[in-house]
Amino acid sequence: TSTPACCGVLPFCRTRKMDLLSSKWLVNLLVCCLFVGVGCNSVEKKIYVNLNYTVPCVRLLNATHQIGCQSHLSGNVGVLHVLESEENLDWVLHSGLTPPYLVILESSLFTRSIMMKLKNGSSRVAGVAVVTPNANPSQGTSPHTSCPNENTGVYTENYDPTMARCNVTVWNPLGTGLSYEEFDFPIFAMKEDNDTQVIRQCYMDHNRAGNGSTPQYPLCAMQLYSHMSAVTDTATCMRRNNINFSLSPEMVCDPLSDFNVWASTRPLNNTAKGHKEGESVVLAAARLDSRSFFFDIAPGAESGVSGFVALLAAAHALRNATQEAPPPRNILYAFFHGETFDYIGSSRMVYDMEKNNFAVDLDNIHSVLEVGQVGLHAESRLWLHSDPVSRKNSSVNEEVKKLILRLQSAASGLNVSVEEPGFSQPLPPSSFQRFLRARPIPGVVIEDHRSAFTNSFYESMYDNAEYLNISYPPDLTPDEQLEYVTDTAKVSPTLAVATVVARTLYIQAGGAESRLGSINADPQMVTRILYGFLVRSNNSWFQQLIPSDLRTGPRTSTWYLLANLTGSTVNVMSDTCFNNCVFVLLPQMYSYLWVQGAAPPNSTERVGFCMRSAARLSKALSPAFDLHEYTSKDYSTWTESRWKTIKGRIFLVASHELEMLTLGVGVGVLLTSLMLTYIMSSKADILFSSGREPANATY
């Protein structure tokens, strides 16, 4: 007689059997969870249609308030309603029986009047989706204010109160100020493509009421996610950033910041900051940035690109002349970032110059020539704007007069005329104003408008290549478009402006007038740069100049372009070029950038080279954040809220009664399941017991 070893102790034997049973249940549970997960994913795809191209309006904050848009944490859901006219708003705001509504707007209805009505009735509005057209509207519109940067320019109560706040000239008469409003619901832009066709079809099939009847469930709905973390103002969000209750604190906002790009015709020792004895500099400036109502849709063709492309082309036109016959004065090219938001870039450079934290200081600045909006829509005429207050100083006035005469002389023989406005008015919004806040400096701002802007789409998503009449024959490939120079391009406004600026800078720096005839902007170069910034940034030319691991934004593209247009190649390897290893013991006179280069014929391997130039980056962060003065009235205080999810989707929504019934059934099933689980658990020893043989059984 023997007892099996595994059953010699009955409790142990039962435990092993129960462990095996539990393991089987665990495996089955995991398999079920896997299938449920796959099933849920499949069900979600059947319920929701995700929108591919959605660009939100985001939240920005400054010293006093917040602007922009946001959704609830879980997104905003509303029944779709395609607004056909402003009179149709009554359905959304009052008479519709299935609020809240998510309103689909054609771009022609995206006006301040309609948006403010929706804002005031926001309890019935879940959000707005604006369908952006493939062509620009015929009527001009600007969501910016009518007086850009009115609080941070030079004209204040202390400088000349009569010219403050656009008292003399309203620069942007089409400005509605919509970009500076606060909306407590999300607003998205959508391209006119397949997504919008699906949305319209869903609306027509389910939501369109006929003959005054109420549409029947299920209804087509949309959900928009754009929850913003920051609230109230910059001081509040920066204080919340500094609250560290965890090892990985969550930031709620970031200061608007980037980098300025600058270079000089003669290299400046960037190691020794501050005043350079005997150095006289002519500052040539342009702004890099632009904005619109929607995040990341800011082409800025006339407001920004026309100016900095003209300055880039001018720098290229000056390269040979300044190397072969260097003028006595240095020319400093400066491309400022963040100028739309209270002159972030220019105010930072002035601050650094005052604190001896830049390669030169304000005492080294001889004069300023700024290139503003030069799209030249109305007529081929450039207007030279100067500051009437600083010109009361006789020495400043004399230098300004000389600069104006040189500009007019440089334009002779070209297809543009250069004139003064002919009456006293303040400077238009310009970076030069921040230099004048520090001290009186002679300077001129070149614009294509005499008084109010001729730009009908200032800081709008429609300020694009189409608005500058940049177009190509339909049968050209991207590479052919890049090289395509029309007869119009050879006499284009940007080309003429670049030539005028280049010649003027050379004479202003003390160069010989006899060389002016050889200083001309290259139409091929102007065409390429405009194509890269306004049509296709990922083109073969930009790929040759800009490393593939860098994002080709305005700052990076301008930096590498400026280096290539003004610099020269040096024979060093890529690692040395990247690290500047050879040059660390010398004063930092140059910067070194590795350029990918082109691939030889019948090869895919690019032949890179090292570019030596005086092109550099400097911080474009408002001094208010270094000084921790988040309520400053002297510097920009703009911050941008952080967010986690930006997306939109449509689906069919059931009636409230059916949703409640479904919820009730679900709760009932849950309670029943819990009860059955409890009963089965309490009776498990009976339900799952297995028979066993008597202990005294013999074999």
PDB file of all heavy atoms in Angstrom, residues 329-358:
ATOM      1  N   ARG A 329      33.007 101.863 -43.011  1.00  0.00           N
ATOM      2  CA  ARG A 329      32.089 101.408 -41.957  1.00  0.00           C
ATOM      3  C   ARG A 329      31.681  99.956 -42.200  1.00  0.00           C
ATOM      4  O   ARG A 329      31.625  99.484 -43.331  1.00  0.00           O
ATOM      5  CB  ARG A 329      30.838 102.292 -41.901  1.00  0.00           C
ATOM      6  CG  ARG A 329      31.112 103.730 -41.523  1.00  0.00           C
ATOM      7  CD  ARG A 329      29.809 104.480 -41.253  1.00  0.00           C
ATOM      8  NE  ARG A 329      30.082 105.887 -40.994  1.00  0.00           N
ATOM      9  CZ  ARG A 329      29.988 106.848 -41.916  1.00  0.00           C
ATOM     10  NH1 ARG A 329      29.602 106.548 -43.149  1.00  0.00           N
ATOM     11  NH2 ARG A 329      30.283 108.096 -41.614  1.00  0.00           N
ATOM     12  N   ASN A 330      31.370  99.302 -41.118  1.00  0.00           N
ATOM     13  CA  ASN A 330      30.876  97.934 -41.193  1.00  0.00           C
ATOM     14  C   ASN A 330      29.370  97.953 -41.448  1.00  0.00           C
ATOM     15  O   ASN A 330      28.679  98.904 -41.084  1.00  0.00           O
ATOM     16  CB  ASN A 330      31.162  97.206 -39.875  1.00  0.00           C
ATOM     17  CG  ASN A 330      31.373  95.728 -40.059  1.00  0.00           C
ATOM     18  OD1 ASN A 330      30.973  95.162 -41.079  1.00  0.00           O
ATOM     19  ND2 ASN A 330      31.987  95.090 -39.078  1.00  0.00           N
ATOM     20  N   ILE A 331      28.861  96.920 -42.065  1.00  0.00           N
ATOM     21  CA  ILE A 331      27.413  96.774 -42.275  1.00  0.00           C
ATOM     22  C   ILE A 331      26.957  95.570 -41.461  1.00  0.00           C
ATOM     23  O   ILE A 331      27.476  94.461 -41.630  1.00  0.00           O
ATOM     24  CB  ILE A 331      27.062  96.583 -43.757  1.00  0.00           C
ATOM     25  CG1 ILE A 331      27.541  97.783 -44.585  1.00  0.00           C
ATOM     26  CG2 ILE A 331      25.558  96.385 -43.929  1.00  0.00           C
ATOM     27  CD1 ILE A 331      27.382  97.596 -46.089  1.00  0.00           C
ATOM     28  N   LEU A 332      26.008  95.800 -40.582  1.00  0.00           N
ATOM     29  CA  LEU A 332      25.483  94.738 -39.718  1.00  0.00           C
ATOM     30  C   LEU A 332      24.072  94.390 -40.174  1.00  0.00           C
ATOM     31  O   LEU A 332      23.158  95.211 -40.087  1.00  0.00           O
ATOM     32  CB  LEU A 332      25.463  95.198 -38.257  1.00  0.00           C
ATOM     33  CG  LEU A 332      24.896  94.218 -37.230  1.00  0.00           C
ATOM     34  CD1 LEU A 332      25.781  92.983 -37.114  1.00  0.00           C
ATOM     35  CD2 LEU A 332      24.750  94.881 -35.868  1.00  0.00           C
ATOM     36  N   TYR A 333      23.894  93.175 -40.691  1.00  0.00           N
ATOM     37  CA  TYR A 333      22.570  92.695 -41.082  1.00  0.00           C
ATOM     38  C   TYR A 333      21.914  92.068 -39.860  1.00  0.00           C
ATOM     39  O   TYR A 333      22.501  91.200 -39.213  1.00  0.00           O
ATOM     40  CB  TYR A 333      22.666  91.647 -42.185  1.00  0.00           C
ATOM     41  CG  TYR A 333      23.465  92.083 -43.394  1.00  0.00           C
ATOM     42  CD1 TYR A 333      24.724  91.519 -43.651  1.00  0.00           C
ATOM     43  CD2 TYR A 333      22.980  93.043 -44.278  1.00  0.00           C
ATOM     44  CE1 TYR A 333      25.468  91.896 -44.756  1.00  0.00           C
ATOM     45  CE2 TYR A 333      23.710  93.434 -45.385  1.00  0.00           C
ATOM     46  CZ  TYR A 333      24.959  92.862 -45.621  1.00  0.00           C
ATOM     47  OH  TYR A 333      25.691  93.249 -46.708  1.00  0.00           O
ATOM     48  N   ALA A 334      20.692  92.491 -39.554  1.00  0.00           N
ATOM     49  CA  ALA A 334      19.979  91.951 -38.388  1.00  0.00           C
ATOM     50  C   ALA A 334      18.568  91.545 -38.798  1.00  0.00           C
ATOM     51  O   ALA A 334      17.818  92.356 -39.361  1.00  0.00           O
ATOM     52  CB  ALA A 334      19.925  92.989 -37.270  1.00  0.00           C
ATOM     53  N   PHE A 335      18.235  90.301 -38.525  1.00  0.00           N
ATOM     54  CA  PHE A 335      16.901  89.764 -38.807  1.00  0.00           C
ATOM     55  C   PHE A 335      16.261  89.438 -37.464  1.00  0.00           C
ATOM     56  O   PHE A 335      16.677  88.502 -36.777  1.00  0.00           O
ATOM     57  CB  PHE A 335      17.003  88.526 -39.690  1.00  0.00           C
ATOM     58  CG  PHE A 335      17.645  88.791 -41.030  1.00  0.00           C
ATOM     59  CD1 PHE A 335      19.028  88.791 -41.169  1.00  0.00           C
ATOM     60  CD2 PHE A 335      16.867  89.055 -42.142  1.00  0.00           C
ATOM     61  CE1 PHE A 335      19.628  89.038 -42.386  1.00  0.00           C
ATOM     62  CE2 PHE A 335      17.453  89.305 -43.378  1.00  0.00           C
ATOM     63  CZ  PHE A 335      18.837  89.302 -43.500  1.00  0.00           C
ATOM     64  N   PHE A 336      15.241  90.207 -37.105  1.00  0.00           N
ATOM     65  CA  PHE A 336      14.671  90.128 -35.763  1.00  0.00           C
ATOM     66  C   PHE A 336      13.486  89.167 -35.726  1.00  0.00           C
ATOM     67  O   PHE A 336      12.625  89.183 -36.615  1.00  0.00           O
ATOM     68  CB  PHE A 336      14.217  91.513 -35.293  1.00  0.00           C
ATOM     69  CG  PHE A 336      15.341  92.497 -35.133  1.00  0.00           C
ATOM     70  CD1 PHE A 336      15.372  93.665 -35.871  1.00  0.00           C
ATOM     71  CD2 PHE A 336      16.380  92.247 -34.253  1.00  0.00           C
ATOM     72  CE1 PHE A 336      16.404  94.573 -35.738  1.00  0.00           C
ATOM     73  CE2 PHE A 336      17.424  93.145 -34.105  1.00  0.00           C
ATOM     74  CZ  PHE A 336      17.435  94.315 -34.856  1.00  0.00           C
ATOM     75  N   HIS A 337      13.442  88.381 -34.654  1.00  0.00           N
ATOM     76  CA  HIS A 337      12.353  87.420 -34.454  1.00  0.00           C
ATOM     77  C   HIS A 337      11.445  87.906 -33.321  1.00  0.00           C
ATOM     78  O   HIS A 337      11.911  88.486 -32.347  1.00  0.00           O
ATOM     79  CB  HIS A 337      12.911  86.043 -34.092  1.00  0.00           C
ATOM     80  CG  HIS A 337      12.221  84.925 -34.803  1.00  0.00           C
ATOM     81  ND1 HIS A 337      10.862  84.716 -34.729  1.00  0.00           N
ATOM     82  CD2 HIS A 337      12.694  83.946 -35.613  1.00  0.00           C
ATOM     83  CE1 HIS A 337      10.534  83.665 -35.447  1.00  0.00           C
ATOM     84  NE2 HIS A 337      11.629  83.177 -36.002  1.00  0.00           N
ATOM     85  N   GLY A 338      10.142  87.672 -33.472  1.00  0.00           N
ATOM     86  CA  GLY A 338       9.190  88.022 -32.424  1.00  0.00           C
ATOM     87  C   GLY A 338       8.718  89.466 -32.469  1.00  0.00           C
ATOM     88  O   GLY A 338       8.147  89.959 -31.498  1.00  0.00           O
ATOM     89  N   GLU A 339       8.903  90.136 -33.584  1.00  0.00           N
ATOM     90  CA  GLU A 339       8.522  91.554 -33.672  1.00  0.00           C
ATOM     91  C   GLU A 339       7.010  91.750 -33.635  1.00  0.00           C
ATOM     92  O   GLU A 339       6.532  92.790 -33.195  1.00  0.00           O
ATOM     93  CB  GLU A 339       9.095  92.179 -34.944  1.00  0.00           C
ATOM     94  CG  GLU A 339      10.612  92.180 -35.001  1.00  0.00           C
ATOM     95  CD  GLU A 339      11.237  92.908 -33.823  1.00  0.00           C
ATOM     96  OE1 GLU A 339      11.411  94.133 -33.899  1.00  0.00           O
ATOM     97  OE2 GLU A 339      11.547  92.235 -32.819  1.00  0.00           O
ATOM     98  N   THR A 340       6.265  90.762 -34.079  1.00  0.00           N
ATOM     99  CA  THR A 340       4.806  90.866 -34.033  1.00  0.00           C
ATOM    100  C   THR A 340       4.305  91.014 -32.607  1.00  0.00           C
ATOM    101  O   THR A 340       3.314  91.695 -32.360  1.00  0.00           O
ATOM    102  CB  THR A 340       4.180  89.611 -34.675  1.00  0.00           C
ATOM    103  OG1 THR A 340       4.704  89.458 -35.993  1.00  0.00           O
ATOM    104  CG2 THR A 340       2.672  89.734 -34.733  1.00  0.00           C
ATOM    105  N   PHE A 341       5.004  90.399 -31.664  1.00  0.00           N
ATOM    106  CA  PHE A 341       4.574  90.394 -30.271  1.00  0.00           C
ATOM    107  C   PHE A 341       5.386  91.407 -29.466  1.00  0.00           C
ATOM    108  O   PHE A 341       6.217  91.052 -28.643  1.00  0.00           O
ATOM    109  CB  PHE A 341       4.690  88.986 -29.684  1.00  0.00           C
ATOM    110  CG  PHE A 341       3.773  87.992 -30.342  1.00  0.00           C
ATOM    111  CD1 PHE A 341       4.232  87.169 -31.352  1.00  0.00           C
ATOM    112  CD2 PHE A 341       2.445  87.897 -29.970  1.00  0.00           C
ATOM    113  CE1 PHE A 341       3.385  86.266 -31.972  1.00  0.00           C
ATOM    114  CE2 PHE A 341       1.591  86.998 -30.586  1.00  0.00           C
ATOM    115  CZ  PHE A 341       2.058  86.181 -31.588  1.00  0.00           C
ATOM    116  N   ASP A 342       5.159  92.666 -29.766  1.00  0.00           N
ATOM    117  CA  ASP A 342       5.766  93.770 -29.002  1.00  0.00           C
ATOM    118  C   ASP A 342       7.283  93.784 -29.114  1.00  0.00           C
ATOM    119  O   ASP A 342       7.985  94.006 -28.124  1.00  0.00           O
ATOM    120  CB  ASP A 342       5.329  93.720 -27.530  1.00  0.00           C
ATOM    121  CG  ASP A 342       3.843  93.970 -27.359  1.00  0.00           C
ATOM    122  OD1 ASP A 342       3.274  94.688 -28.204  1.00  0.00           O
ATOM    123  OD2 ASP A 342       3.251  93.452 -26.401  1.00  0.00           O
ATOM    124  N   TYR A 343       7.785  93.559 -30.332  1.00  0.00           N
ATOM    125  CA  TYR A 343       9.207  93.756 -30.641  1.00  0.00           C
ATOM    126  C   TYR A 343      10.138  92.928 -29.745  1.00  0.00           C
ATOM    127  O   TYR A 343      11.076  93.447 -29.146  1.00  0.00           O
ATOM    128  CB  TYR A 343       9.571  95.236 -30.520  1.00  0.00           C
ATOM    129  CG  TYR A 343       8.713  96.172 -31.332  1.00  0.00           C
ATOM    130  CD1 TYR A 343       7.943  97.163 -30.723  1.00  0.00           C
ATOM    131  CD2 TYR A 343       8.671  96.087 -32.715  1.00  0.00           C
ATOM    132  CE1 TYR A 343       7.165  98.033 -31.470  1.00  0.00           C
ATOM    133  CE2 TYR A 343       7.888  96.949 -33.468  1.00  0.00           C
ATOM    134  CZ  TYR A 343       7.142  97.915 -32.835  1.00  0.00           C
ATOM    135  OH  TYR A 343       6.363  98.778 -33.586  1.00  0.00           O
ATOM    136  N   ILE A 344       9.904  91.622 -29.665  1.00  0.00           N
ATOM    137  CA  ILE A 344      10.730  90.779 -28.805  1.00  0.00           C
ATOM    138  C   ILE A 344      12.192  90.807 -29.243  1.00  0.00           C
ATOM    139  O   ILE A 344      13.107  91.049 -28.445  1.00  0.00           O
ATOM    140  CB  ILE A 344      10.198  89.335 -28.786  1.00  0.00           C
ATOM    141  CG1 ILE A 344       8.829  89.269 -28.110  1.00  0.00           C
ATOM    142  CG2 ILE A 344      11.182  88.419 -28.053  1.00  0.00           C
ATOM    143  CD1 ILE A 344       8.168  87.911 -28.186  1.00  0.00           C
ATOM    144  N   GLY A 345      12.449  90.546 -30.534  1.00  0.00           N
ATOM    145  CA  GLY A 345      13.824  90.424 -31.002  1.00  0.00           C
ATOM    146  C   GLY A 345      14.615  91.705 -30.939  1.00  0.00           C
ATOM    147  O   GLY A 345      15.761  91.728 -30.465  1.00  0.00           O
ATOM    148  N   SER A 346      14.042  92.810 -31.417  1.00  0.00           N
ATOM    149  CA  SER A 346      14.777  94.079 -31.427  1.00  0.00           C
ATOM    150  C   SER A 346      14.976  94.615 -30.021  1.00  0.00           C
ATOM    151  O   SER A 346      16.048  95.155 -29.700  1.00  0.00           O
ATOM    152  CB  SER A 346      14.042  95.107 -32.292  1.00  0.00           C
ATOM    153  OG  SER A 346      12.702  95.279 -31.856  1.00  0.00           O
ATOM    154  N   SER A 347      13.976  94.459 -29.159  1.00  0.00           N
ATOM    155  CA  SER A 347      14.145  94.949 -27.788  1.00  0.00           C
ATOM    156  C   SER A 347      15.235  94.154 -27.072  1.00  0.00           C
ATOM    157  O   SER A 347      15.976  94.706 -26.250  1.00  0.00           O
ATOM    158  CB  SER A 347      12.829  94.863 -27.009  1.00  0.00           C
ATOM    159  OG  SER A 347      12.391  93.530 -26.871  1.00  0.00           O
ATOM    160  N   ARG A 348      15.377  92.860 -27.419  1.00  0.00           N
ATOM    161  CA  ARG A 348      16.428  92.063 -26.801  1.00  0.00           C
ATOM    162  C   ARG A 348      17.810  92.503 -27.277  1.00  0.00           C
ATOM    163  O   ARG A 348      18.757  92.593 -26.479  1.00  0.00           O
ATOM    164  CB  ARG A 348      16.218  90.579 -27.113  1.00  0.00           C
ATOM    165  CG  ARG A 348      17.275  89.690 -26.459  1.00  0.00           C
ATOM    166  CD  ARG A 348      17.183  89.796 -24.957  1.00  0.00           C
ATOM    167  NE  ARG A 348      18.326  89.278 -24.262  1.00  0.00           N
ATOM    168  CZ  ARG A 348      18.237  88.577 -23.133  1.00  0.00           C
ATOM    169  NH1 ARG A 348      17.050  88.310 -22.617  1.00  0.00           N
ATOM    170  NH2 ARG A 348      19.310  88.162 -22.530  1.00  0.00           N
ATOM    171  N   MET A 349      17.946  92.783 -28.572  1.00  0.00           N
ATOM    172  CA  MET A 349      19.244  93.210 -29.062  1.00  0.00           C
ATOM    173  C   MET A 349      19.637  94.560 -28.456  1.00  0.00           C
ATOM    174  O   MET A 349      20.797  94.763 -28.068  1.00  0.00           O
ATOM    175  CB  MET A 349      19.256  93.297 -30.591  1.00  0.00           C
ATOM    176  CG  MET A 349      20.603  93.702 -31.157  1.00  0.00           C
ATOM    177  SD  MET A 349      20.742  93.588 -32.950  1.00  0.00           S
ATOM    178  CE  MET A 349      20.895  91.816 -33.164  1.00  0.00           C
ATOM    179  N   VAL A 350      18.688  95.487 -28.351  1.00  0.00           N
ATOM    180  CA  VAL A 350      18.979  96.777 -27.727  1.00  0.00           C
ATOM    181  C   VAL A 350      19.376  96.579 -26.268  1.00  0.00           C
ATOM    182  O   VAL A 350      20.343  97.187 -25.780  1.00  0.00           O
ATOM    183  CB  VAL A 350      17.759  97.714 -27.841  1.00  0.00           C
ATOM    184  CG1 VAL A 350      17.974  98.982 -27.014  1.00  0.00           C
ATOM    185  CG2 VAL A 350      17.498  98.073 -29.298  1.00  0.00           C
ATOM    186  N   TYR A 351      18.654  95.712 -25.567  1.00  0.00           N
ATOM    187  CA  TYR A 351      18.963  95.420 -24.158  1.00  0.00           C
ATOM    188  C   TYR A 351      20.374  94.846 -24.018  1.00  0.00           C
ATOM    189  O   TYR A 351      21.147  95.258 -23.145  1.00  0.00           O
ATOM    190  CB  TYR A 351      17.927  94.439 -23.615  1.00  0.00           C
ATOM    191  CG  TYR A 351      18.166  93.976 -22.194  1.00  0.00           C
ATOM    192  CD1 TYR A 351      17.811  94.765 -21.107  1.00  0.00           C
ATOM    193  CD2 TYR A 351      18.743  92.725 -21.947  1.00  0.00           C
ATOM    194  CE1 TYR A 351      18.023  94.330 -19.805  1.00  0.00           C
ATOM    195  CE2 TYR A 351      18.955  92.280 -20.655  1.00  0.00           C
ATOM    196  CZ  TYR A 351      18.594  93.085 -19.584  1.00  0.00           C
ATOM    197  OH  TYR A 351      18.812  92.661 -18.297  1.00  0.00           O
ATOM    198  N   ASP A 352      20.728  93.895 -24.901  1.00  0.00           N
ATOM    199  CA  ASP A 352      22.064  93.304 -24.852  1.00  0.00           C
ATOM    200  C   ASP A 352      23.140  94.338 -25.161  1.00  0.00           C
ATOM    201  O   ASP A 352      24.230  94.317 -24.571  1.00  0.00           O
ATOM    202  CB  ASP A 352      22.161  92.130 -25.826  1.00  0.00           C
ATOM    203  CG  ASP A 352      21.405  90.900 -25.338  1.00  0.00           C
ATOM    204  OD1 ASP A 352      21.103  90.839 -24.132  1.00  0.00           O
ATOM    205  OD2 ASP A 352      21.126  90.009 -26.158  1.00  0.00           O
ATOM    206  N   MET A 353      22.865  95.230 -26.097  1.00  0.00           N
ATOM    207  CA  MET A 353      23.836  96.291 -26.397  1.00  0.00           C
ATOM    208  C   MET A 353      24.023  97.218 -25.203  1.00  0.00           C
ATOM    209  O   MET A 353      25.149  97.636 -24.894  1.00  0.00           O
ATOM    210  CB  MET A 353      23.375  97.087 -27.615  1.00  0.00           C
ATOM    211  CG  MET A 353      23.509  96.366 -28.943  1.00  0.00           C
ATOM    212  SD  MET A 353      22.993  97.413 -30.329  1.00  0.00           S
ATOM    213  CE  MET A 353      23.392  96.348 -31.715  1.00  0.00           C
ATOM    214  N   GLU A 354      22.933  97.529 -24.518  1.00  0.00           N
ATOM    215  CA  GLU A 354      23.033  98.408 -23.347  1.00  0.00           C
ATOM    216  C   GLU A 354      23.794  97.730 -22.206  1.00  0.00           C
ATOM    217  O   GLU A 354      24.477  98.402 -21.424  1.00  0.00           O
ATOM    218  CB  GLU A 354      21.637  98.806 -22.879  1.00  0.00           C
ATOM    219  CG  GLU A 354      20.905  99.742 -23.826  1.00  0.00           C
ATOM    220  CD  GLU A 354      19.498 100.066 -23.362  1.00  0.00           C
ATOM    221  OE1 GLU A 354      18.830  99.155 -22.817  1.00  0.00           O
ATOM    222  OE2 GLU A 354      19.058 101.219 -23.537  1.00  0.00           O
ATOM    223  N   LYS A 355      23.678  96.410 -22.103  1.00  0.00           N
ATOM    224  CA  LYS A 355      24.331  95.658 -21.023  1.00  0.00           C
ATOM    225  C   LYS A 355      25.695  95.112 -21.427  1.00  0.00           C
ATOM    226  O   LYS A 355      26.259  94.273 -20.722  1.00  0.00           O
ATOM    227  CB  LYS A 355      23.427  94.502 -20.578  1.00  0.00           C
ATOM    228  CG  LYS A 355      22.055  94.923 -20.076  1.00  0.00           C
ATOM    229  CD  LYS A 355      22.155  95.795 -18.840  1.00  0.00           C
ATOM    230  CE  LYS A 355      20.781  96.180 -18.313  1.00  0.00           C
ATOM    231  NZ  LYS A 355      20.870  97.090 -17.143  1.00  0.00           N
ATOM    232  N   ASN A 356      26.231  95.584 -22.575  1.00  0.00           N
ATOM    233  CA  ASN A 356      27.527  95.099 -23.073  1.00  0.00           C
ATOM    234  C   ASN A 356      27.557  93.579 -23.226  1.00  0.00           C
ATOM    235  O   ASN A 356      28.536  92.918 -22.877  1.00  0.00           O
ATOM    236  CB  ASN A 356      28.675  95.551 -22.157  1.00  0.00           C
ATOM    237  CG  ASN A 356      28.889  97.049 -22.207  1.00  0.00           C
ATOM    238  OD1 ASN A 356      28.738  97.667 -23.266  1.00  0.00           O
ATOM    239  ND2 ASN A 356      29.220  97.648 -21.077  1.00  0.00           N
ATOM    240  N   ASN A 357      26.465  93.049 -23.763  1.00  0.00           N
ATOM    241  CA  ASN A 357      26.363  91.609 -23.968  1.00  0.00           C
ATOM    242  C   ASN A 357      26.169  91.268 -25.443  1.00  0.00           C
ATOM    243  O   ASN A 357      25.636  90.220 -25.776  1.00  0.00           O
ATOM    244  CB  ASN A 357      25.210  91.045 -23.127  1.00  0.00           C
ATOM    245  CG  ASN A 357      25.317  89.541 -22.930  1.00  0.00           C
ATOM    246  OD1 ASN A 357      26.415  88.993 -22.912  1.00  0.00           O
ATOM    247  ND2 ASN A 357      24.174  88.884 -22.812  1.00  0.00           N
ATOM    248  N   PHE A 358      26.590  92.190 -26.310  1.00  0.00           N
ATOM    249  CA  PHE A 358      26.514  91.973 -27.753  1.00  0.00           C
ATOM    250  C   PHE A 358      27.857  92.369 -28.351  1.00  0.00           C
ATOM    251  O   PHE A 358      28.683  93.024 -27.698  1.00  0.00           O
ATOM    252  CB  PHE A 358      25.373  92.794 -28.364  1.00  0.00           C
ATOM    253  CG  PHE A 358      25.030  92.408 -29.771  1.00  0.00           C
ATOM    254  CD1 PHE A 358      24.390  91.218 -30.044  1.00  0.00           C
ATOM    255  CD2 PHE A 358      25.379  93.238 -30.831  1.00  0.00           C
ATOM    256  CE1 PHE A 358      24.085  90.852 -31.349  1.00  0.00           C
ATOM    257  CE2 PHE A 358      25.087  92.882 -32.137  1.00  0.00           C
ATOM    258  CZ  PHE A 358      24.440  91.683 -32.408  1.00  0.00           C
TER     259      PHE A 358
END
